[in-house]
Amino acid sequence: MASDVTLELLDREEVMTVECEQDLTMDQLLVTMADICHISPVARGLFAFKQAGRWLPPSHTVSAETGALQLRLRYKMPDWRSRDRASNLKNVDPKAFQYFYSQVRKDFDCGLVCNKKVAGEKDQKWWVPIIQPGARDKREDRLIELNVNMLELVGRNMAIDVMDEVIDKKEVLKNVKSYIPKDLYSGLEKMMLVKMLQANVEGYVDKLLKAYQPTMSSMQIKDEFLKLTEKFFPTYFCESFSAQYDEGGRVLEVR
């Protein structure tokens, strides 16, 4: 018996609905979806399906799941973070690499890569009083560091969109706010960041375009975006799980 399955592929905007047999496993479905995304069998094993924040085992069947499935790259190749050389994923399978960039870029824009909880400022305001006696507040130092990091990441995404002809350079500079991660800033702090970006991002984007446009490809700058994202926000790329163990008759939990 067949059933409809909703699939979210992160290299495109539209959501897909496909008809599958109910005994089809996630592993079998992965083969079909990887083929649609032009991901090679070599890199296919790096991907898995996620649903409502939960990774699905390869043996799960379509009939056992309800709701949209999201195809995501889950496992990264060794030494991919080295900025001294190109990502080995980019060399092994350029389509898988492009999908990885689209995945992280979408999470970045939606505020999943970095938000106030990730940044360690839950329920606190980033901004501090203008008149500050004595040493500079630690939150102010973190805000300055965060804003510099945002310039590097946002500037790269702008340059990528210009190089990929997604948007004209003049238009991209008019839409600075749309490149800022959702829910990371609010109120005064967002206004301060926008002003900082507007004052600096044009020169930064020009510098990036001058360096990368002669290659006629945005692949290298996408590689740098991914590596810098992990450098600035390493917890985004980590997984943690709860486990229980017995110690002298007491059940304890560890992550």
Side-chain angles (χ1 to χ4, degrees):
M1 184 176 178
S3 61
D4 288 338
V5 177
T6 303
L7 289 151
E8 184 181 356
L9 305 179
L10 301 178
D11 62 348
R12 60 202 70 190
E13 293 298 325
E14 66 274 9
V15 175
M16 292 182 60
T17 301
V18 296
E19 188 178 49
C20 302
E21 293 298 323
Q22 290 190 354
D23 61 351
L24 188 75
T25 65
M26 293 297 112
D27 199 36
Q28 292 169 322
L29 182 61
L30 176 60
V31 174
T32 302
M33 292 300 105
D35 187 52
I36 289 173
C37 297
H38 306 291
I39 296 167
S40 72
V42 176
R44 190 171 62 212
L46 301 174
F47 289 79
F49 290 104
K50 199 172 189 180
Q51 183 186 65
R54 180 171 65 99
W55 291 105
L56 303 180
S59 59
H60 267 218
T61 60
V62 169
S63 61
E65 303 304 330
T66 57
L69 303 178
Q70 190 179 72
L71 179 64
R72 297 182 68 89
L73 186 142
R74 185 180 186 184
Y75 306 104
K76 302 191 296 293
M77 299 183 76
D79 298 327
W80 80 280
R81 289 173 293 182
S82 175
R83 296 191 66 188
D84 296 331
R85 56 181 180 274
S87 166
N88 39 19
L89 178 61
K90 182 164 72 75
N91 295 328
V92 169
D93 188 336
K95 288 294 184 181
F97 172 82
Q98 291 272 23
Y99 193 98
F100 184 35
Y101 168 76
S102 298
Q103 173 180 312
V104 178
R105 168 75 182 269
K106 185 166 287 190
D107 286 352
F108 179 81
D109 291 342
C110 292
L112 298 178
V113 171
C114 184
N115 49 52
K116 289 193 176 183
K117 184 177 180 180
V118 172
E121 293 291 333
K122 186 178 179 182
D123 300 326
Q124 294 186 41
K125 291 292 185 182
W126 283 112
W127 64 274
V128 293
I130 296 175
I131 301 175
Q132 182 93 350
R136 194 161 59 191
D137 190 280
K138 288 183 178 180
R139 286 177 297 158
E140 186 179 7
D141 288 334
R142 285 196 292 269
L143 176 59
I144 292 171
E145 181 183 4
L146 180 65
N147 286 349
V148 171
N149 294 344
M150 282 298 114
L151 175 62
E152 290 208 49
L153 296 175
V154 166
R156 278 173 170 77
N157 282 336
M158 287 180 168
I160 288 166
D161 285 352
V162 173
M163 292 181 70
D164 288 349
E165 299 182 346
V166 174
I167 190 171
D168 181 78
K169 180 185 167 185
K170 290 183 180 178
E171 290 301 314
V172 83
L173 294 172
K174 291 178 183 177
N175 292 279
V176 171
K177 287 183 181 179
S178 66
Y179 285 84
I180 298 173
K182 184 180 179 182
D183 298 330
L184 177 57
Y185 300 87
S186 60
L188 177 60
E189 56 212 42
K190 187 169 185 177
M191 290 174 56
M192 292 169 63
L193 176 67
V194 170
K195 284 183 176 293
M196 187 276 286
L197 289 175
Q198 288 174 336
N200 296 281
V201 79
E202 182 173 4
Y204 191 70
V205 170
D206 283 339
K207 181 181 177 181
L208 291 170
L209 292 175
K210 185 177 180 180
Y212 292 105
Q213 265 189 332
T215 66
M216 303 299 292
S217 171
S218 61
M219 294 286 275
Q220 186 178 347
I221 193 170
K222 288 175 180 176
D223 193 21
E224 286 210 355
F225 170 82
L226 291 170
K227 290 171 180 175
L228 286 173
T229 300
E230 180 157 27
K231 177 183 176 183
F232 299 151
F233 309 114
T235 56
Y236 163 74
F237 291 89
C238 297
E239 292 184 24
S240 62
F241 304 91
S242 297
Q244 292 183 333
Y245 66 98
D246 185 288
E247 186 177 273
R250 293 186 304 161
V251 178
L252 303 175
E253 188 172 286
V254 65
R255 288 185 69 85

